Amino acid sequence: MKQHAFSTFDKMKALAIVNIFETSKPYGSYASLAVLNDGAGISFGINQFTHRSGSLLAVIEGYLERGGLVGREVIESRLPLLQKTTSAAIETLAADTRFRKAIQAAAITAEMRAAQEHVAFEKYLKPAIEACEGSQFVLPLSLAVVYDSITHGSWERFRDSVSPKLDEKAWITEYV
């Protein structure tokens, strides 16, 4: 069977669904920031990139590589801490208001937006599209569910608990 290529509009619908739940905005919020009490530390941006997962580090490195200047001195000085995912490093950086303000200020820049979009695509959307195509899913809602599950790290843990004999809508319903 031929693989389905999600249209740009399909991808935008899927992203909007997830973004509304993550940031309450259909296009996300590049400056959204929360400090999570589940050990993940800072959760930042359109995909709530976290310190513990390493996705926040990827965004910050992408921002700096793109020549981002807003907050650069503070951000660069915190890189050694951001590179560590120990509980102590996560707690220390989460309590660092200068760092949090620096990355939120950087969120207005094209460099930070591009870094967030790149990491979101490579780490989450691209694998979600591949997973959907591998399962022959064609619905934007299915893409949204898989994308959200990959973003939160639960896709691989739960996908195999659903019967592969179900049609797409039934499979997604049972998965959710």
Side-chain angles (χ1 to χ4, degrees):
M1 183 171 199
K2 184 182 173 202
Q3 287 187 343
H4 172 78
F6 286 99
S7 71
T8 299
F9 188 61
D10 289 341
K11 293 173 196 172
M12 296 295 287
K13 285 190 270 187
L15 292 174
I17 291 166
V18 174
N19 286 338
I20 286 170
F21 285 100
E22 292 293 331
T23 67
S24 74
K25 297 179 174 144
Y27 298 106
S29 171
Y30 293 90
S32 177
L33 189 144
V35 175
L36 304 177
N37 62 4
D38 64 357
I42 293 172
S43 177
F44 174 68
I46 58 172
N47 266 79
Q48 295 299 287
F49 305 101
T50 65
H51 185 164
R52 183 179 60 201
S53 72
S55 61
L56 179 59
L57 174 62
V59 167
I60 296 303
E61 288 175 338
Y63 170 69
L64 296 172
E65 288 168 6
R66 287 169 172 77
L69 297 176
V70 174
R72 187 177 191 98
E73 184 179 323
V74 172
I75 293 169
E76 282 182 327
S77 71
R78 302 322 193 266
L79 276 175
L81 198 55
L82 187 57
Q83 292 166 340
K84 298 176 185 172
T85 56
T86 63
S87 295
I90 290 169
E91 288 174 24
T92 300
L93 197 60
D96 187 337
T97 57
R98 286 191 68 217
F99 177 76
R100 294 193 327 247
K101 287 179 181 179
I103 63 174
Q104 282 188 296
I108 66 166
T109 69
E111 294 88 359
M112 180 59 85
R113 290 171 182 249
Q116 288 188 34
E117 290 167 1
H118 176 77
V119 172
F121 179 78
E122 290 298 322
K123 286 184 77 85
Y124 308 118
L125 186 58
K126 185 177 173 184
I129 291 168
E130 291 168 356
C132 284
E133 289 176 345
S135 296
Q136 299 177 346
F137 294 165
V138 298
L139 300 173
L141 184 57
S142 299
L143 179 59
V145 168
V146 174
Y147 174 69
D148 187 56
S149 295
I150 289 173
T151 299
H152 291 285
S154 58
W155 173 247
E156 290 180 357
R157 190 172 44 205
F158 295 112
R159 70 168 179 228
D160 296 335
S161 65
V162 179
S163 171
K165 295 178 182 178
L166 299 172
D167 68 21
E168 179 176 359
K169 288 182 182 180
W171 194 97
I172 290 295
T173 300
E174 186 172 322
Y175 177 84
V176 170

